[in-house]
Amino acid sequence: MTIDDALHRLLLDNLTTAVILLDADLRLEYMNPAAEMLLAVSGQRSHGQFISELFTESPEALASLRQAVEQAHPFTKREAQVTSLSGQTLTVDYAVTPILNRGATLLLLEVHPRDRLLRITKEEAQLSKQETTKLLVRGLAHEIKNPLGGIRGAAQLLSRELPEEHLKDYTNVIIEEADRLRNLVDRMLGSNKLPQLAMTNIHEVLERVCSLVEAESQGCINLVRDYDPSIPDLLIDREQMIQAVLNIVRNAMQAISGQNELRLGRITLRSRTLRQFTIGHTRHRLVTKVEIIDNGPGIPAELQETIFYPMVSGRPDGTGLGLAIAQNIISQHQGLIECESHPGHTVFSIFLPLDKGATSS
């Protein structure tokens, strides 16, 4: 391999665009790491395989590729639905360019995943909403706590002046309700304590949550563990991360118990790693993905866009703070939390970068 060849290979290997090169028979000549990650296959092992062995689309798409080889005619396709070998359906845009090399026609495919772009846009909107909500809550908290302190102090002074003991029951109600509201505001704001960072195995966190949930449910709920033991330790606050995951798992348990008998409920805790994953505006080489999956009734469609806001709950007796607190903790760790839900299947996904720790908010 010449210096130019090595440089070209280096450039292709570091592109974020998925690049696939096919020969005239539509068999794989080369794919870069971005394509390997997109299709979840190994380029080296897949060398020489027919394109339909890598991913499938429509018969018309296959005919278009053959026509591109025969007529040397480039084309572009938008929002194509392709299915990878793992069964995952992807929405992609791809451009096909015929290349003449030593008398043979090759096809260069540049594949742009639409799902990823849509997800990044959604993440940015979610992070922006979270920051706006945090500022709003802090402003409201300041405006609420000041008059609450005055009301409580006035009630205490009035209590001392009352001539009969039974009349103090009314001032006690005022004091107790003022305290309750102050505690609620404090919970909305979250903890002011800086994260206590230490290298921690994420499975220690998940196992601690499992033990707490098993104790609360008295072993009636079916907890499924699906861990990747190769995940390295993360720089996180162990206690805060336990709280974040526990809030999500408790929500799942409460949703299941409200729908079915508890013993029919199933919660799966799954851990995986992802490469070249974007959180906000930052692309990380490696992130840990933790999924909490339940078979409950699902989150109502009208709540799915607002479930991370404080005071938003799908339960009549819910405070709506559990997910807001979880999101704040994950955000402090430079991570991201997402949710997908339909009846019988709800997934909360937590993404934590393996190259960064937490920050103060």
Side-chain angles (χ1 to χ4, degrees):
M1 182 181 289
T2 66
I3 293 177
D4 283 346
D5 289 340
L7 178 60
H8 293 158
R9 177 61 65 94
L10 182 65
L11 292 173
L12 285 169
D13 286 350
N14 284 277
L15 284 177
T16 58
T17 301
V19 175
I20 299 171
L21 187 65
L22 305 175
D23 65 16
D25 296 323
L26 304 185
R27 295 186 179 277
L28 181 68
E29 282 286 329
Y30 165 80
M31 66 166 56
N32 68 348
E36 291 179 330
M37 185 174 66
L38 178 66
L39 300 175
V41 296
S42 165
Q44 188 174 2
R45 292 181 182 178
S46 303
H47 185 269
Q49 289 186 345
F50 191 61
I51 187 170
S52 60
E53 297 177 81
L54 303 174
F55 64 85
T56 56
E57 200 195 338
S58 61
E60 293 80 10
L62 205 57
S64 297
L65 291 174
R66 288 199 173 100
Q67 187 177 8
V69 173
E70 294 166 2
Q71 301 179 5
H73 179 65
F75 70 92
T76 300
K77 189 164 184 181
R78 303 292 183 190
E79 297 189 4
Q81 299 288 324
V82 301
T83 304
S84 65
L85 285 180
S86 63
Q88 183 182 9
T89 300
L90 306 167
T91 303
V92 301
D93 295 341
Y94 64 87
V96 178
T97 307
I99 299 174
L100 193 63
N101 181 49
R102 297 174 185 174
T105 301
L106 303 176
L107 286 187
L108 178 68
L109 277 69
E110 300 170 71
V111 186
H112 301 269
R114 296 281 298 174
D115 308 79
R116 182 170 177 269
L117 295 174
L118 292 171
R119 182 186 59 75
I120 291 172
T121 302
K122 183 180 176 182
E123 286 172 14
E124 289 177 345
Q126 180 179 317
L127 291 170
S128 175
K129 287 178 182 177
Q130 178 189 347
E131 193 61 33
T132 302
T133 302
K134 192 184 294 182
L135 292 172
L136 176 63
V137 168
R138 283 179 174 166
L140 280 174
H142 177 74
E143 295 300 323
I144 290 171
K145 289 178 81 170
N146 282 346
L148 275 180
I151 291 169
R152 191 183 192 282
Q156 286 177 317
L157 292 174
L158 179 60
S159 177
R160 295 172 190 167
E161 300 298 325
L162 291 174
E164 298 179 26
E165 194 65 29
H166 74 276
L167 294 176
K168 294 184 180 180
D169 292 342
Y170 301 107
T171 53
N172 288 339
V173 169
I174 297 172
I175 293 168
E176 288 168 5
E177 288 302 296
D179 288 342
R180 186 178 67 83
L181 287 172
R182 185 190 61 197
N183 292 335
L184 181 62
V185 170
D186 287 340
R187 289 180 63 197
M188 288 173 66
L189 287 171
S191 174
N192 291 323
K193 188 177 69 172
L194 291 176
Q196 303 297 308
L197 302 181
M199 297 305 293
T200 306
N201 190 303
I202 192 63
H203 302 125
E204 289 181 21
V205 172
L206 300 182
E207 282 302 300
R208 177 60 177 162
V209 170
C210 285
S211 64
L212 292 170
V213 171
E214 284 171 342
E216 290 179 17
S217 66
Q218 299 180 340
C220 293
I221 201 160
N222 183 20
L223 283 173
V224 180
R225 297 161 172 86
D226 181 6
Y227 299 159
D228 177 358
S230 67
I231 296 176
D233 291 354
L234 296 91
L235 187 61
I236 58 175
D237 184 312
R238 181 178 180 273
E239 296 306 316
Q240 284 192 6
M241 197 57 62
I242 288 172
Q243 185 64 56
V245 177
L246 183 60
N247 285 356
I248 298 169
V249 175
R250 274 183 178 151
N251 271 11
M253 186 173 66
Q254 289 162 353
I256 290 170
S257 62
Q259 174 79 3
N260 307 310
E261 292 183 41
L262 200 58
R263 60 184 177 81
L264 300 177
R266 183 179 67 255
I267 298 176
T268 301
L269 281 79
R270 178 182 296 154
S271 64
R272 293 292 187 270
T273 55
L274 298 175
R275 296 184 182 277
Q276 304 300 336
F277 190 85
T278 303
I279 298 177
H281 296 284
T282 306
R283 183 166 161 240
H284 299 277
R285 288 192 310 104
L286 196 65
V287 301
T288 294
K289 179 182 182 181
V290 174
E291 292 179 304
I292 297 103
I293 308 165
D294 72 74
N295 64 343
I299 299 167
E302 64 272 15
L303 291 182
Q304 290 190 24
E305 294 296 319
T306 58
I307 54 171
F308 294 108
Y309 289 175
M311 313 305 292
V312 174
S313 176
R315 293 181 292 112
D317 58 341
T319 63
L321 293 177
L323 291 178
I325 291 169
Q327 187 188 49
N328 185 53
I329 292 171
I330 300 302
S331 178
Q332 281 188 324
H333 287 78
Q334 309 300 300
L336 178 75
I337 181 169
E338 292 181 339
C339 175
E340 292 182 9
S341 181
H342 56 80
H345 187 77
T346 297
V347 183
F348 280 88
S349 301
I350 298 171
F351 302 92
L352 295 168
L354 279 159
D355 52 357
K356 286 188 178 182
T359 60
S360 59
S361 60

